[in-house]
Amino acid sequence: MKIYIINIDNDAQNITNTLNNIGISNFELVDLYQVVNVNEFFESQNKEVFNKYYDRDISYSELNNVITHQNIYKKIIDNNENAIILENNIEFLNNNILDEVAHASIPFDFNVIFLNDMVNNNDWYRSPLITADSKFINNHKCIKIKLWNNLYGSVVFNQIHWWRAYSYIISPQGAKKALESNYPVSNVVDGWFHLNIGDSVYKFETPLFSQH
Protein backbone atom coordinates (compact mmCIF):
# COMPACT_ATOMS: atom_id res chain seq x y z
CA MET A 1 0.00 0.00 0.00
CA LYS A 2 1.46 3.37 -0.99
CA ILE A 3 2.09 6.00 1.66
CA TYR A 4 1.73 9.69 0.85
CA ILE A 5 3.64 11.96 3.23
CA ILE A 6 2.46 15.58 3.31
CA ASN A 7 5.47 17.75 4.02
CA ILE A 8 3.73 20.30 6.23
CA ASP A 9 6.80 22.08 7.58
CA ASN A 10 9.53 21.10 5.08
CA ASP A 11 11.15 18.76 7.58
CA ALA A 12 10.49 15.22 6.41
CA GLN A 13 13.85 13.67 7.25
CA ASN A 14 12.67 12.07 10.49
CA ILE A 15 9.62 10.37 9.00
CA THR A 16 11.43 9.18 5.86
CA ASN A 17 14.31 7.81 7.94
CA THR A 18 11.86 5.97 10.19
CA LEU A 19 10.01 4.44 7.24
CA ASN A 20 13.28 3.33 5.66
CA ASN A 21 14.40 1.78 8.96
CA ILE A 22 11.12 -0.13 9.23
CA GLY A 23 11.62 -1.43 5.70
CA ILE A 24 8.94 0.64 3.95
CA SER A 25 10.04 2.14 0.64
CA ASN A 26 6.76 2.67 -1.19
CA PHE A 27 6.16 6.26 -0.14
CA GLU A 28 5.95 9.63 -1.85
CA LEU A 29 6.72 13.04 -0.39
CA VAL A 30 4.08 15.63 -1.25
CA ASP A 31 4.89 19.29 -0.73
CA LEU A 32 2.17 21.40 0.81
CA TYR A 33 0.18 23.16 -1.90
CA GLN A 34 0.58 26.92 -2.02
CA VAL A 35 -2.28 29.11 -3.22
CA VAL A 36 -0.54 31.51 -5.57
CA ASN A 37 -2.77 34.57 -5.58
CA VAL A 38 -5.87 36.16 -4.11
CA ASN A 39 -8.07 35.18 -7.06
CA GLU A 40 -7.17 31.51 -6.70
CA PHE A 41 -7.78 31.76 -2.97
CA PHE A 42 -11.37 32.88 -3.47
CA GLU A 43 -12.09 30.76 -6.54
CA SER A 44 -10.98 27.58 -4.76
CA GLN A 45 -13.51 27.80 -1.96
CA ASN A 46 -17.21 27.97 -1.21
CA LYS A 47 -17.03 30.89 1.18
CA GLU A 48 -20.74 30.99 1.99
CA VAL A 49 -20.86 27.37 3.15
CA PHE A 50 -17.58 27.64 5.08
CA ASN A 51 -18.89 30.69 6.93
CA LYS A 52 -22.07 28.79 7.76
CA TYR A 53 -20.04 25.96 9.32
CA TYR A 54 -17.41 28.00 11.13
CA ASP A 55 -18.64 31.62 11.33
CA ARG A 56 -15.35 32.85 9.88
CA ASP A 57 -13.30 32.77 6.69
CA ILE A 58 -10.93 29.95 5.82
CA SER A 59 -7.23 30.76 6.21
CA TYR A 60 -4.58 30.37 3.53
CA SER A 61 -2.89 27.58 5.50
CA GLU A 62 -6.16 25.67 5.92
CA LEU A 63 -6.96 25.98 2.22
CA ASN A 64 -3.46 24.86 1.24
CA ASN A 65 -3.81 21.80 3.45
CA VAL A 66 -7.23 20.87 2.05
CA ILE A 67 -6.06 21.17 -1.56
CA THR A 68 -2.97 19.08 -0.79
CA HIS A 69 -5.11 16.24 0.60
CA GLN A 70 -7.52 16.58 -2.33
CA ASN A 71 -4.70 16.30 -4.88
CA ILE A 72 -3.69 13.04 -3.20
CA TYR A 73 -7.32 11.85 -3.32
CA LYS A 74 -7.26 12.38 -7.09
CA LYS A 75 -4.17 10.17 -7.39
CA ILE A 76 -5.79 7.47 -5.27
CA ILE A 77 -8.91 7.55 -7.45
CA ASP A 78 -6.81 7.41 -10.65
CA ASN A 79 -4.70 4.51 -9.33
CA ASN A 80 -7.80 2.77 -7.89
CA GLU A 81 -5.81 1.57 -4.88
CA ASN A 82 -6.03 2.07 -1.13
CA ALA A 83 -3.38 4.39 0.30
CA ILE A 84 -2.08 5.71 3.60
CA ILE A 85 -1.89 9.48 4.13
CA LEU A 86 0.46 10.83 6.80
CA GLU A 87 1.46 14.37 7.72
CA ASN A 88 5.18 14.62 8.39
CA ASN A 89 4.91 16.09 11.92
CA ILE A 90 3.73 12.86 13.55
CA GLU A 91 5.09 10.59 16.25
CA PHE A 92 5.37 6.87 15.56
CA LEU A 93 3.85 4.65 18.24
CA ASN A 94 3.78 1.14 16.76
CA ASN A 95 6.28 0.63 13.96
CA ASN A 96 5.83 -3.14 13.69
CA ILE A 97 2.11 -2.83 13.14
CA LEU A 98 2.63 -0.10 10.54
CA ASP A 99 5.00 -2.38 8.62
CA GLU A 100 2.37 -5.13 8.58
CA VAL A 101 -0.42 -2.79 7.56
CA ALA A 102 1.59 -1.13 4.80
CA HIS A 103 2.23 -4.53 3.21
CA ALA A 104 -1.23 -5.99 3.81
CA SER A 105 -4.35 -6.17 1.71
CA ILE A 106 -7.46 -5.02 3.54
CA PRO A 107 -10.07 -7.81 3.47
CA PHE A 108 -13.16 -5.65 4.02
CA ASP A 109 -14.88 -2.67 2.43
CA PHE A 110 -14.20 0.70 4.02
CA ASN A 111 -13.98 4.40 3.23
CA VAL A 112 -11.57 5.62 5.92
CA ILE A 113 -9.56 3.86 8.64
CA PHE A 114 -8.00 6.19 11.21
CA LEU A 115 -4.52 5.22 12.43
CA ASN A 116 -4.42 7.67 15.34
CA ASP A 117 -6.53 7.86 18.46
CA MET A 118 -9.20 10.46 18.98
CA VAL A 119 -8.41 14.02 19.98
CA ASN A 120 -10.41 14.47 23.15
CA ASN A 121 -9.73 17.72 24.96
CA ASN A 122 -13.28 19.00 25.26
CA ASP A 123 -15.16 18.89 28.55
CA TRP A 124 -18.46 18.45 26.77
CA TYR A 125 -17.34 15.24 25.09
CA ARG A 126 -18.14 12.21 27.20
CA SER A 127 -19.94 9.61 25.10
CA PRO A 128 -18.40 6.67 23.24
CA LEU A 129 -17.82 6.72 19.50
CA ILE A 130 -17.22 3.05 18.88
CA THR A 131 -19.63 0.26 18.00
CA ALA A 132 -19.47 -3.48 18.58
CA ASP A 133 -18.72 -4.02 14.90
CA SER A 134 -15.06 -4.79 14.21
CA LYS A 135 -12.89 -6.09 11.36
CA PHE A 136 -9.30 -7.28 11.19
CA ILE A 137 -6.24 -6.46 9.13
CA ASN A 138 -4.07 -9.50 9.76
CA ASN A 139 -4.56 -9.84 13.54
CA HIS A 140 -5.08 -6.14 14.19
CA LYS A 141 -8.56 -5.05 15.18
CA CYS A 142 -10.29 -2.15 13.45
CA ILE A 143 -13.37 -0.88 15.25
CA LYS A 144 -16.23 0.72 13.39
CA ILE A 145 -16.93 4.27 14.49
CA LYS A 146 -20.46 5.19 15.43
CA LEU A 147 -21.50 8.34 13.59
CA TRP A 148 -23.83 10.53 15.57
CA ASN A 149 -24.29 14.18 16.45
CA ASN A 150 -23.66 16.01 19.68
CA LEU A 151 -25.07 19.44 20.30
CA TYR A 152 -22.48 21.95 21.47
CA GLY A 153 -23.88 25.44 21.85
CA SER A 154 -25.70 26.26 18.62
CA VAL A 155 -23.57 23.97 16.45
CA VAL A 156 -24.15 20.28 15.86
CA PHE A 157 -20.85 18.40 15.68
CA ASN A 158 -20.60 14.89 14.35
CA GLN A 159 -17.99 13.55 16.74
CA ILE A 160 -15.92 11.91 14.02
CA HIS A 161 -14.52 15.43 13.54
CA TRP A 162 -12.16 14.91 16.41
CA TRP A 163 -10.20 12.19 14.63
CA ARG A 164 -8.15 14.73 12.65
CA ALA A 165 -6.45 14.03 9.31
CA TYR A 166 -2.80 13.39 10.02
CA SER A 167 -2.78 9.58 9.72
CA TYR A 168 -5.39 7.51 7.94
CA ILE A 169 -5.99 4.91 5.25
CA ILE A 170 -8.43 5.91 2.57
CA SER A 171 -9.95 3.81 -0.21
CA PRO A 172 -10.70 5.06 -3.74
CA GLN A 173 -14.41 5.23 -2.93
CA GLY A 174 -13.64 7.08 0.31
CA ALA A 175 -11.40 9.49 -1.57
CA LYS A 176 -14.14 10.13 -4.10
CA LYS A 177 -16.69 10.84 -1.38
CA ALA A 178 -14.32 13.17 0.53
CA LEU A 179 -13.37 15.00 -2.65
CA GLU A 180 -16.88 15.44 -4.04
CA SER A 181 -18.33 16.63 -0.73
CA ASN A 182 -15.67 19.33 -0.29
CA TYR A 183 -15.12 20.69 -3.81
CA PRO A 184 -14.93 23.64 -4.07
CA VAL A 185 -13.57 23.85 -0.54
CA SER A 186 -16.26 24.44 2.05
CA ASN A 187 -14.63 22.72 5.01
CA VAL A 188 -11.28 22.19 6.71
CA VAL A 189 -9.50 18.95 5.85
CA ASP A 190 -10.24 17.28 9.18
CA GLY A 191 -13.84 18.45 9.40
CA TRP A 192 -15.07 14.91 8.86
CA PHE A 193 -18.44 15.82 10.39
CA HIS A 194 -19.30 17.72 7.19
CA LEU A 195 -17.74 15.29 4.72
CA ASN A 196 -20.06 12.71 3.23
CA ILE A 197 -17.76 9.72 3.68
CA GLY A 198 -20.51 7.25 4.49
CA ASP A 199 -20.79 4.72 7.30
CA SER A 200 -17.79 2.50 6.52
CA VAL A 201 -15.38 4.30 8.84
CA TYR A 202 -13.06 2.51 11.27
CA LYS A 203 -10.27 3.16 13.72
CA PHE A 204 -7.36 0.96 14.74
CA GLU A 205 -7.84 -0.37 18.25
CA THR A 206 -4.11 0.22 18.82
CA PRO A 207 -3.15 3.73 17.65
CA LEU A 208 -0.13 3.86 15.33
CA PHE A 209 0.48 7.61 15.51
CA SER A 210 0.09 10.76 17.55
CA GLN A 211 0.88 14.32 16.52
CA HIS A 212 3.25 16.81 18.07
Side-chain angles (χ1 to χ4, degrees):
M1 195 176 345
K2 186 165 187 175
I3 299 177
Y4 293 93
I5 304 168
I6 299 176
N7 200 8
I8 297 287
D9 52 13
N10 295 315
D11 185 16
Q13 184 173 355
N14 181 60
I15 187 171
T16 56
N17 286 345
T18 302
L19 291 175
N20 284 323
N21 290 336
I22 295 171
I24 296 173
S25 59
N26 187 19
F27 61 83
E28 177 182 334
L29 273 177
V30 180
D31 289 332
L32 192 67
Y33 186 87
Q34 299 294 326
V35 173
V36 296
N37 55 49
V38 173
N39 287 337
E40 183 186 5
F41 177 72
F42 286 107
E43 290 170 359
S44 299
Q45 61 174 294
N46 186 331
K47 185 176 181 180
E48 181 180 353
V49 175
F50 190 92
N51 271 272
K52 177 182 176 183
Y53 289 157
Y54 297 99
D55 197 29
R56 62 174 178 83
D57 292 338
I58 194 171
S59 69
Y60 271 88
S61 61
E62 287 173 328
L63 185 62
N64 290 336
N65 201 8
V66 174
I67 294 175
T68 304
H69 281 256
Q70 290 182 337
N71 287 340
I72 295 173
Y73 296 161
K74 293 173 185 178
K75 291 183 179 183
I76 292 169
I77 294 167
D78 289 342
N79 295 334
N80 195 32
E81 292 181 343
N82 302 328
I84 298 172
I85 297 179
L86 304 176
E87 294 182 353
N88 74 293
N89 54 349
I90 57 173
E91 179 180 352
F92 288 74
L93 302 178
N94 288 282
N95 293 0
N96 292 336
I97 298 178
L98 175 63
D99 185 30
E100 286 188 47
V101 171
H103 293 98
S105 60
I106 300 178
F108 57 90
D109 291 332
F110 72 97
N111 290 326
V112 173
I113 303 173
F114 292 102
L115 302 177
N116 53 282
D117 210 347
M118 201 195 85
V119 177
N120 179 10
N121 55 4
N122 299 277
D123 291 338
W124 54 270
Y125 173 83
R126 291 182 176 86
S127 301
L129 275 163
I130 63 174
T131 71
D133 186 11
S134 60
K135 306 289 185 182
F136 289 85
I137 301 175
N138 293 347
N139 294 319
H140 305 296
K141 182 183 287 188
C142 299
I143 304 171
K144 192 170 186 180
I145 297 172
K146 182 178 181 182
L147 301 181
W148 63 283
N149 291 330
N150 189 13
L151 185 64
Y152 179 56
S154 60
V155 181
V156 175
F157 287 90
N158 187 309
Q159 294 183 342
I160 194 174
H161 167 68
W162 303 110
W163 291 89
R164 305 305 186 195
Y166 61 83
S167 61
Y168 60 101
I169 306 172
I170 190 164
S171 66
Q173 63 267 23
K176 184 176 181 181
K177 286 176 178 291
L179 182 63
E180 290 178 346
S181 63
N182 198 24
Y183 193 85
V185 176
S186 58
N187 192 23
V188 293
V189 69
D190 58 355
W192 301 102
F193 59 110
H194 292 313
L195 299 182
N196 181 26
I197 57 172
D199 292 331
S200 297
V201 181
Y202 295 81
K203 80 172 199 72
F204 260 72
E205 183 179 49
T206 301
L208 307 189
F209 302 98
S210 63
Q211 193 171 48
H212 305 312

